[in-house]
Amino acid sequence: MSGLVMPEPKADVLARRSQIIADLRAIVPGEGVIDTETEMRPFESDGVTAYRQLPLAVVLPSTTEQVSKVLAYAHANGIPVVPRGAGTSLSGGALPLADGILLGMGKFNRILDIDFANRSVVAQPGVTNLGITTAVAHEGFYYAPDPSSQIACTIGGNVGENSGGVHCLKYGLTTNNVLGVEMVLITGEIIRVGGKHLDSGGLDLLGLIVGSEGLLGVVTEVTVRILKKPETARAVLLGFPSSEAAGACVAAIIAAGIIPGGMEMMDRMMVHAAEAFLGAGYPLDVEALLIVELDGPEAEVNHLIDRVAEIGNGLGCMTLRASTSEEERVAFWAGRKAAFPAVGRISPDYLCMDGTIPRKALPEVLNRMEQMSEKYGLRCGNVFHAGDGNLHPLICYDANKPGELEKAEAFGADILLLCVEVGGVLTGEHGVGVEKRDLMPSMFDETDLAHQQRLKCAFDPDALLNPGKVFPVLHRCAELGRMHVSGGKLPFPDIPRF
């Protein structure tokens, strides 16, 4: 697994594997437990295939009661648990552990309630993101967050990573669209936080749970907000002679007080890859392409398109084309959403990064990424949520060439450190997982990280849920109350320090 360091497997757990599997089969009978190497192979990684590890066993529960019993058993026997949705994570968040149970939530795939009066849907975590919109589309409703993987990614995984999508600029990330969850704690206790009501009293535990990356509990039910589809939605393609000019246009549109439904940017490499893959009708003579969607009443949309065109032309826009039908608007977006698989046509492997920067820093960051690409000798395509500064550089490499994966990882780390340097953050929607774990000290000091771990300790005092993710240094919960560094030496030297 490249240079990635994970917690050392517990020898006593590995020694009890046969008994553990027998006990798990008693909890989840039938085909609910997978334990052979061949059958577990599909679960050895998530979307970050550079990192792979077979789990102790894969467990596929179908009821909340089974999840509760599996977690209670793991807690009583000191066995780590890694929750998994569809395995589309791009941060290694669902990477298994050799001594851990991989808890697959794919059988939780039913929509339990659709309440148009309250504009909400109650779904199990294995329902796909797009599945929610499909279920309510006949009444003119939809679920706003729309990651590029929405046809496959699940709402439970979206909750774990606080996923976004092309329309999160105007309508918010998962955390802005989730009303409540049912969650099972490591002890087996089942709790409910939030519900169909707009807001809850007391501490905002829901805000803590969304984006917690499987560190606090296992979500078994999600209540989301659905929205009425806007009266009119049109997308505009704006082509520019440089990425810097396109970045300046993004900042100018927002500065003008216009909040598009979505605003995406693709550089020349990605425009050509997407067009060859899907034929969306993109112009091929531009260095950067913006896709700007305006939605609302028809008169307002037409007025905003004129304003966006004026801004673009003032910044050197080479080509401008507005959708004239719903089919054309969908085609514009289809090319963007197919950008990641499109790279598979031009590179055997790639790393998809996920950092967020202030919009005003876009031109500088894009220029410096070009310099990094030359430094490492690796191609890098840019496709990202330009409106909120959420970058998704795609670093192309060939894993069969010795040293290229390591170069790609170093290139990616430099990009994320650059994001922090210009006032941004390490992740926008993919989560920290293992990919960004060791970069966390660039953004948080030891005190910050210790406080975050204390929150985890309140839910999972034995650190059995998804250990080795997010935090670069493992601490025992009892240790956190008395963590001191003296003479450059840490106490508890037997604890793994990644």
Side-chain angles (χ1 to χ4, degrees):
M1 294 194 298
S2 184
L4 181 67
V5 179
M6 294 298 287
E8 192 70 26
K10 301 176 182 178
D12 64 314
V13 172
L14 296 176
R16 291 182 283 130
R17 183 173 187 265
S18 296
Q19 183 60 51
I20 290 169
I21 289 171
D23 293 343
L24 291 171
R25 290 193 193 281
I27 298 172
V28 187
E31 297 180 340
V33 177
I34 300 172
D35 66 323
T36 67
E37 179 179 339
T38 302
E39 292 177 316
M40 290 195 300
R41 191 62 69 184
F43 300 90
E44 68 180 354
S45 72
D46 54 17
V48 185
T49 56
Y51 307 134
R52 302 169 186 265
Q53 171 63 58
L54 287 173
L56 183 77
V58 177
V59 179
L60 305 174
S62 56
T63 68
T64 300
E65 181 184 12
Q66 288 178 345
V67 173
S68 173
K69 288 181 177 180
V70 169
L71 291 184
Y73 175 81
H75 180 249
N77 290 274
I79 306 168
V81 178
V82 177
R84 176 187 169 104
T88 58
S89 167
L90 292 170
S91 62
L95 180 69
L97 296 168
D99 61 343
I101 297 167
L102 188 75
L103 194 66
M105 300 299 288
K107 292 185 177 181
F108 283 73
N109 58 6
R110 293 186 299 125
I111 290 179
L112 304 176
D113 179 59
I114 298 175
D115 186 345
F116 290 114
N118 281 310
R119 297 196 171 194
S120 64
V121 169
V122 181
Q124 291 184 317
V127 173
T128 63
N129 174 287
L130 187 59
I132 295 176
T133 290
T134 302
V136 299
H138 65 284
E139 290 290 339
F141 283 84
Y142 74 111
Y143 177 62
D146 55 343
S148 295
S149 58
Q150 66 179 148
I151 193 172
C153 68
T154 61
I155 191 63
N158 290 175
V159 169
E161 303 288 12
N162 190 22
S163 304
V166 299
H167 289 93
C168 63
L169 171 62
K170 186 171 184 177
Y171 296 105
L173 299 159
T174 300
T175 190
N176 306 110
N177 291 275
V178 168
L179 298 171
V181 299
E182 175 186 80
M183 187 171 79
V184 185
L185 304 181
I186 188 63
T187 57
E189 183 181 357
I190 301 169
I191 66 170
R192 283 188 172 273
V193 179
K196 290 184 180 180
H197 45 282
L198 185 61
D199 205 355
S200 303
L203 297 176
D204 183 17
L205 293 178
L206 189 60
L208 180 64
I209 292 167
V210 177
S212 58
E213 302 195 34
L215 297 175
L216 307 183
V218 177
V219 171
T220 51
E221 184 183 294
V222 185
T223 302
V224 301
R225 182 199 329 273
I226 54 174
L227 302 176
K228 195 73 174 176
K229 288 185 178 178
E231 174 189 319
T232 303
R234 295 178 66 192
V236 185
L237 299 181
L238 299 99
F240 289 89
S242 69
S243 293
E244 289 79 9
C249 185
V250 169
I253 289 172
I254 299 296
I258 301 171
I259 306 297
M263 183 156 52
E264 300 290 298
M265 182 171 161
M266 303 166 69
D267 67 9
R268 181 182 182 86
M269 173 178 152
M270 297 309 305
V271 168
H272 281 251
E275 184 63 20
F277 184 72
L278 204 66
Y282 293 159
L284 299 178
D285 59 344
V286 300
E287 291 297 321
L289 182 69
L290 287 185
I291 310 174
V292 183
E293 181 167 290
L294 293 312
D295 61 17
E298 184 177 3
E300 178 186 357
V301 169
N302 292 338
H303 170 67
L304 291 177
I305 286 177
D306 290 340
R307 291 192 64 195
V308 167
E310 182 182 348
I311 292 169
N313 288 330
L315 291 167
C317 177
M318 299 166 58
T319 178
L320 189 147
R321 177 180 163 199
S323 63
T324 56
S325 66
E326 178 64 9
E327 292 74 22
E328 191 173 28
R329 182 190 73 85
V330 170
F332 287 176
W333 283 119
R336 160 61 184 89
K337 291 192 174 186
F340 291 179
V343 177
R345 294 168 61 97
I346 61 176
S347 176
D349 301 284
Y350 68 86
L351 289 182
C352 176
M353 309 311 296
D354 168 53
T356 301
I357 61 173
R359 281 183 294 267
K360 67 178 181 180
L362 267 174
E364 175 193 353
V365 169
L366 292 172
N367 182 55
R368 289 178 63 180
M369 280 198 291
E370 284 184 19
Q371 296 172 15
M372 291 179 191
S373 179
E374 293 178 8
K375 170 187 172 184
Y376 285 101
L378 297 174
R379 290 181 298 166
C380 179
N382 284 293
V383 52
F384 51 86
H385 311 310
D388 52 11
N390 185 195
L391 308 179
H392 291 317
L394 299 170
I395 301 170
C396 300
Y397 71 99
D398 186 347
N400 293 316
K401 293 183 179 179
E404 279 219 350
L405 171 57
E406 289 74 18
K407 279 204 300 182
E409 289 176 323
F411 187 178
D414 280 354
I415 290 174
L416 295 176
L417 292 172
L418 172 60
C419 291
V420 175
E421 178 189 326
V422 299
V425 294
L426 291 171
T427 180
E429 56 172 340
H430 292 175
V432 175
V434 296
E435 179 207 34
K436 308 177 188 74
R437 180 195 68 190
D438 297 338
L439 299 177
M440 288 285 275
S442 70
M443 186 172 171
F444 301 104
D445 63 23
E446 188 177 311
T447 302
D448 297 330
L449 291 169
H451 277 293
Q452 292 182 38
Q453 289 184 73
R454 288 186 181 100
L455 278 172
K456 175 174 171 57
C457 288
F459 287 81
D460 179 24
D462 297 325
L464 294 174
L465 283 167
N466 222 4
K469 316 291 173 60
V470 179
F471 300 116
V473 178
L474 290 182
H475 295 303
R476 295 192 184 102
C477 290
E479 174 197 4
L480 286 169
R482 53 179 187 276
M483 183 67 177
H484 300 287
V485 179
S486 177
K489 295 182 179 180
L490 292 170
F492 307 96
D494 58 307
I495 298 176
R497 317 283 179 183
F498 298 143

